[in-house]
Amino acid sequence: MLFSQLLIPTLKESPAEAEVISHKLLMRAGFIRKLTSGVYSYLPLGLMALRKIERIVREEMNAAGAQEVLLPMVQPADLWAESGRLKKYGPELLRFRDRHDRESCLGPTHEEVITDLVRNNIHSYRGLPVNLYQIQTKFRDEIRPRFGLMRGREFIMKDAYSFDASSDAADRSYEAMKYAYHRIFTRCGLRFRAVEADTGTIGGNFSHEFMVLAETGEDTIVICRSCSYAANLEKAACAAPAPASDEMQPAAKVETPGKRKVEAVCEFLGIEPSRLLKTLIYRADGQPVAVLVRGDHEVQPVKLKNALKASEVELATDEECFAATGTPTGYLGPLGLKIPVIADQAVLGMRNFVTGGGEKNFHLTNVNLGRDFTPGQVADLRMVTPGDRCPLCGGELELTRGIEVGHIFKLGIAYSEALNARFLDAEGEMRPFIMGCYGIGVSRVLAAAIEQNHDQDGIVFPLPLAPFKVIVVNLGFADEAVGQAARSLYQALRESGIETLLDDRDERPGSKFKDADLLGIPFRVTVGKRFASGGLVEIRERASGKITELALAEAVERLARLTATD
RNA sequence: CGGGGCGUAGCGCAGCCUGGUUAGCGCGCCUGCCUUGGGAGCAGGAGGCCGCGAGUUCGAAUCUCGCCGCCCCGACCA
């Protein structure tokens, strides 16, 4: 296509509202424009890049045996009432009334619709398994949309839903999707990790998030330097410590006037924070619980919640702590508590440690687990920190940032039960479908790809996602022979099936080079004075800046090789 | 929803505090000349409900109040 005929409104400066690099570059390169908060128009180049992602997603979903459908965006509120989510989903679900005063909503996700479709059309185990997917615009009325395409209110998502007759079959569907996702993100040319994730309110044991690795990511993930272990920080486990072997010393009470914070107590007593035991009071579904962690560790609330099998945990206020223990915060200790006590597993590795004294201005030294107190439960409760040991191989754990671009869940029967979606099994029994759901934020993949692949000059697209593989820069406005050569090269590339953009604008070379860099097209071919003098053109690789000069006649073949994928 | 900030030409901004000619600057855009291997130069030009509405004032982009929109931090998040 011709640059002069495409709508590519590039900008020299970033709009003030753009904060993150992908947003800035998507705006500057003329890929998107904002209509209103969290809602964007895709211009030709933006759409082309999006189509690249969609195509890879389609091919891999189809290869995995899924079938494409297209579900309605406008959905009746009744259906959401039936699943119970009309109340539960909250204001993120955009609701409105149609002319007949029927309550409706815009689909933020499609579990209800797909379950309704399947319950009405599949009645026998013979119709299973089935996996249906769509690529469609979703609307979620986010509290705070931000970062351009990263967290919009309207966004494009691929969502797939599997229906199986047995738990084993559902596991196979899940694994097939996990494999397909690995292929999708690999083919997109992205560096990513599949991490174990918390299942949130949906429940179940299976959930993986696919994270594109980028320093600017919103989520912290934990990866092992030595093996493939990777997990969301909310879920990340760490290896249990070696049990303590020091001699137990006699416990003693010491006065620590006004020393409430870990730091202050340690300084006062001249010990490391790792020798102190913190006692924190949480409210778990309304009931107080004492949580014990080492002084230099932090509680991970989601791990605590899971360990307690609670549906909600929250740090108690100072008043609540006092009410539950009779001790002011700062001097809480595990001895003599009347509420349940749960300890982080790292506490097992502690000997002769310091705890709160259970009364104002006192601490206890040389306290020992087993001798002085025994927690009702021990579990892995703390936030992983860099340098912790991998639970699988013992290697060193590393914290890094990622952008969630995919999430796969084993749903089980939550939706099929709520919506009474059942099939007749081989024994003639009615059973609920066992479901899984699998999302990919297609528009977010575009943003994530740019967060991961850019430099000072602009986007550096991975080859498979680039809107064009080659841009031919025609510098022949003073020399018709050069212009003619550029046009014929462009034609020849197109005829070889290489997606090519011809910069035919009557601009100065500098502007053309700047724009070519900004757009992130992987290969730039310049036809200019080097051609006029010696018949040579120049191929420049966007990512490396590597320049190759060669005869015009050889360019097509060379580029065909350079741009070959799959 | 709480806290903070911003709305002036397509984009980036100044002017506002201390009210007073015709509201400026850079980039972009249009015309002409010139130039053509990393965002050239010269000359001319178009483009503004100064977010909206009230108020104060002889007079409001500027002061006051209300509203709307946008951005950032937080809470929240399949």
Side-chain angles (χ1 to χ4, degrees):
Chain A
M1 281 187 242
L2 304 181
F3 204 124
S4 64
Q5 292 177 9
L6 273 176
L7 177 62
I8 310 176
T10 59
L11 304 170
K12 283 191 183 176
E13 293 174 284
S14 300
E17 67 191 30
E19 185 78 2
V20 299
I21 192 69
S22 63
H23 189 190
K24 288 179 182 173
L25 291 176
L26 284 164
M27 291 291 295
R28 284 192 55 207
F31 279 50
I32 60 169
R33 284 294 182 265
K34 185 177 69 178
L35 180 61
T36 183
S37 180
V39 178
Y40 293 85
S41 300
Y42 296 93
L43 278 55
L45 287 181
L47 184 59
M48 285 178 207
L50 221 44
R51 293 287 190 238
K52 292 293 175 96
I53 299 165
E54 287 180 3
R55 181 174 171 194
I56 291 170
V57 169
R58 274 202 178 87
E59 287 177 1
E60 293 301 330
M61 291 302 292
N62 293 342
Q67 309 172 49
E68 187 167 3
V69 294
L70 185 57
L71 304 171
M73 182 170 188
V74 172
Q75 307 176 10
D78 289 352
L79 193 56
W80 282 73
E82 206 179 333
S83 73
R85 287 211 293 183
L86 188 62
K87 284 202 177 104
K88 243 170 60 185
Y89 214 92
E92 213 171 279
L93 181 66
L94 181 63
R95 303 144 206 252
F96 58 95
R97 291 178 179 278
D98 67 11
R99 64 160 68 189
H100 302 293
D101 209 32
R102 285 186 293 237
E103 209 185 332
S104 309
C105 55
L106 283 187
T109 175
H110 284 71
E111 282 83 6
E112 281 79 2
V113 173
I114 198 79
T115 306
D116 178 70
L117 182 72
V118 168
R119 74 178 169 184
N120 290 330
N121 295 284
I122 297 180
H123 306 105
S124 157
Y125 73 96
R126 292 191 172 136
L128 299 177
V130 68
N131 185 329
L132 301 169
Y133 78 97
Q134 64 170 342
I135 296 176
Q136 201 230 26
T137 298
K138 297 273 192 278
F139 191 92
R140 294 181 189 175
D141 202 355
E142 290 276 346
I143 291 176
R144 185 149 85 86
R146 60 185 125 175
F147 304 149
L149 294 189
M150 291 277 257
R151 185 176 286 271
R153 292 193 294 167
E154 189 174 286
F155 58 99
I156 297 170
M157 185 171 180
K158 184 285 304 178
D159 47 327
Y161 305 89
S162 65
F163 295 81
D164 281 283
S166 72
S167 189
D168 284 352
D171 290 352
R172 284 193 293 276
S173 294
Y174 184 89
E175 290 304 321
M177 284 295 107
K178 197 168 146 199
Y179 176 71
Y181 274 41
H182 271 101
R183 286 195 49 96
I184 287 167
F185 296 118
T186 301
R187 279 186 61 190
C188 284
L190 299 171
R191 282 168 279 125
F192 71 99
R193 285 284 185 119
V195 305
E196 289 178 18
D198 186 65
T199 48
T201 47
I202 285 182
N205 297 320
F206 291 81
S207 178
H208 284 86
E209 288 174 346
F210 286 76
M211 312 290 293
V212 167
L213 303 181
E215 283 312 308
T216 50
E218 282 191 272
D219 299 307
T220 301
I221 60 174
V222 177
I223 61 179
C224 176
R225 287 177 189 268
S226 311
C227 75
S228 67
Y229 181 76
N232 189 308
L233 185 60
E234 291 177 348
K235 173 100 177 180
C238 43
S245 57
D246 300 7
E247 265 318 283
M248 289 193 198
Q249 306 291 323
K253 194 175 199 176
V254 294
E255 191 164 1
T256 50
K259 307 297 178 192
R260 302 176 62 245
K261 300 271 177 212
V262 170
E263 213 172 280
V265 175
C266 289
E267 198 188 317
F268 185 76
L269 296 174
I271 57 165
E272 292 298 311
S274 58
R275 297 282 313 281
L276 186 130
L277 182 81
K278 278 195 288 197
T279 304
L280 301 161
I281 308 299
Y282 274 78
R283 255 185 303 114
D285 295 336
Q287 297 303 309
V289 183
V291 181
L292 311 180
V293 292
R294 223 167 75 180
D296 55 336
H297 290 161
E298 297 296 327
V299 173
Q300 167 49 253
V302 173
K303 288 164 85 170
L304 176 64
K305 187 179 83 176
N306 292 339
L308 293 171
K309 297 184 170 50
S311 55
E312 199 182 355
V313 298
E314 200 178 352
L315 196 60
T317 62
D318 285 0
E319 292 73 34
E320 288 168 332
C321 288
F322 188 79
T325 62
T327 305
T329 54
Y331 307 99
L332 293 172
L335 276 66
L337 289 177
K338 299 201 168 52
I339 56 175
V341 176
I342 181 167
D344 176 59
Q345 62 181 13
V347 175
L348 298 177
M350 296 174 74
R351 264 295 152 82
N352 301 323
F353 47 85
V354 172
T355 74
E359 66 181 284
K360 192 172 178 184
N361 294 338
F362 283 96
H363 278 78
L364 299 176
T365 59
N366 293 328
V367 176
N368 283 294
L369 192 123
R371 181 186 72 183
D372 302 315
F373 70 98
T374 305
Q377 190 182 350
V378 177
D380 178 14
L381 300 178
R382 72 184 175 90
M383 198 92 81
V384 169
T385 56
D388 277 337
R389 294 288 142 188
C390 171
L392 295 187
C393 76
E396 196 176 328
L397 293 178
E398 177 187 355
L399 267 60
T400 182
R401 308 287 283 175
I403 299 163
E404 180 188 350
V405 290
H407 201 160
I408 59 178
F409 288 95
K410 186 176 169 190
L411 289 176
I413 57 175
Y415 290 93
S416 47
E417 289 229 296
L419 294 169
N420 197 29
R422 290 162 197 281
F423 65 96
L424 216 48
D425 73 9
E427 279 78 47
E429 299 269 340
M430 289 291 274
R431 307 241 313 261
F433 294 102
I434 300 177
M435 295 172 57
C437 74
Y438 317 94
I440 291 179
V442 175
S443 43
R444 188 184 273 185
V445 169
L446 177 56
I450 293 170
E451 290 290 334
Q452 189 182 74
N453 302 282
H454 66 270
D455 63 18
Q456 288 180 338
D457 297 313
I459 303 170
V460 184
F461 268 117
L463 193 57
L465 302 189
F468 293 96
K469 301 218 182 315
V470 175
I471 179 168
V472 175
V473 177
N474 174 13
L475 298 184
F477 282 83
D479 183 340
E480 185 41 35
V482 172
Q484 188 54 49
R487 284 190 292 275
S488 71
L489 173 60
Y490 164 67
Q491 268 309 330
L493 286 166
R494 288 184 45 153
E495 280 158 19
S496 318
I498 298 169
E499 294 149 320
T500 305
L501 180 65
L502 174 63
D503 191 347
D504 59 332
R505 298 173 302 166
D506 185 6
E507 292 286 339
R508 298 168 57 82
S511 300
K512 294 189 169 193
F513 292 148
K514 288 289 184 190
D515 274 344
D517 286 349
L518 181 59
L519 301 186
I521 299 173
F523 295 98
R524 184 185 82 195
V525 189
T526 306
V527 185
K529 67 183 181 195
R530 218 83 14 109
F531 177 77
S533 59
L536 295 178
V537 300
E538 170 197 295
I539 296 174
R540 181 173 181 273
E541 187 181 16
R542 176 68 182 84
S544 64
K546 199 180 122 208
I547 287 173
T548 312
E549 288 195 342
L550 73 178
L552 178 72
E554 298 166 25
V556 174
E557 198 196 322
R558 177 70 64 91
L559 285 164
R561 235 179 312 132
L562 289 170
T563 58
T565 49
D566 297 336

